[in-house]
């Protein structure tokens, strides 16, 4: 039996964003303070309007509370258009100098009519087997 990957979800203006992070031990080097995760994002347009993802804004925090912000156009080199009922999925990655952390953010969207708005990316944790476990 395999453990299911954690999945995080939020909906803004009928656009669902799901995030599923996975720690990649083979891409990490714990002895050198390098921990790497892949994360898969699925956007689904449950609304009636065609929308396009134009920008991303990530806030990535490591286990020491250090914040890194990443802003830019599109995702993985694309600015996907989602018609009603359509989905778009992509996978990207993030390195941290600590064995755990978390990410949260937003996507800048635009409707076919030219209305700009932001949608939430759910906060999700980046955990590895190297993270210290505490019992409360």
């Amino acid at each position: 039996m395999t453990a299911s990957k954690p999945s995080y979800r939020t909906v803004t203006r009928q656009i669902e964003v799901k995030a599923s992070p996975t720690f990649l031990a083979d891409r990490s080097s714990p002895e050198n303070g390098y921990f790497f995760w892949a994360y898969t994002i699925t956007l689904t347009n449950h609304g009636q309007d065609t929308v396009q993802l134009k920008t991303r804004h990530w806030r990535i925090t490591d286990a020491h509370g250090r914040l890194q912000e990443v802003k830019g156009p599109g995702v993985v080199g694309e600015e996907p258009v989602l018609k009603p009922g359509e989905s778009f999925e992509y996978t990207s990655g993030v390195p941290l100098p600590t064995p755990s952390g978390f990410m949260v953010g937003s996507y800048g969207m635009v409707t076919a009519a030219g209305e700009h708005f932001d949608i939430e990316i759910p906060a999700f944790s980046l955990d590895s087997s190297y993270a210290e476990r505490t019992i409360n």
Side-chain angles (χ1 to χ4, degrees), residues 86-101:
E86 288 186 340
S87 293
F88 176 80
E89 182 176 283
Y90 74 94
T91 300
S92 191
V94 61
L96 286 180
T98 59
S100 66

Side-chain angles (χ1 to χ4, degrees), residues 5-10 15-22 37-44 53 55-58 74-76 78 80 82 86-94 103-107 109 119-126:
K5 286 197 302 187
S7 183
Y8 304 83
R9 176 183 175 272
T10 189
I15 301 168
E16 177 183 54
V17 180
K18 284 186 193 171
S20 297
T22 304
W37 288 263
Y39 58 90
T40 299
I41 301 288
T42 306
L43 294 110
T44 304
L53 188 156
T55 62
R56 70 186 183 285
H57 178 195
W58 286 105
V75 289
V76 295
E78 297 186 49
L82 295 171
E86 288 186 340
S87 293
F88 176 80
E89 182 176 283
Y90 74 94
T91 300
S92 191
V94 61
M103 294 176 65
V104 66
S106 61
Y107 293 123
M109 308 294 287
I119 62 170
E120 287 182 51
I121 303 168
F124 57 92
S125 60
L126 302 169

Side-chain angles (χ1 to χ4, degrees), residues 131-136:
E132 291 180 16
R133 302 276 186 232
T134 57
I135 299 173
N136 295 327

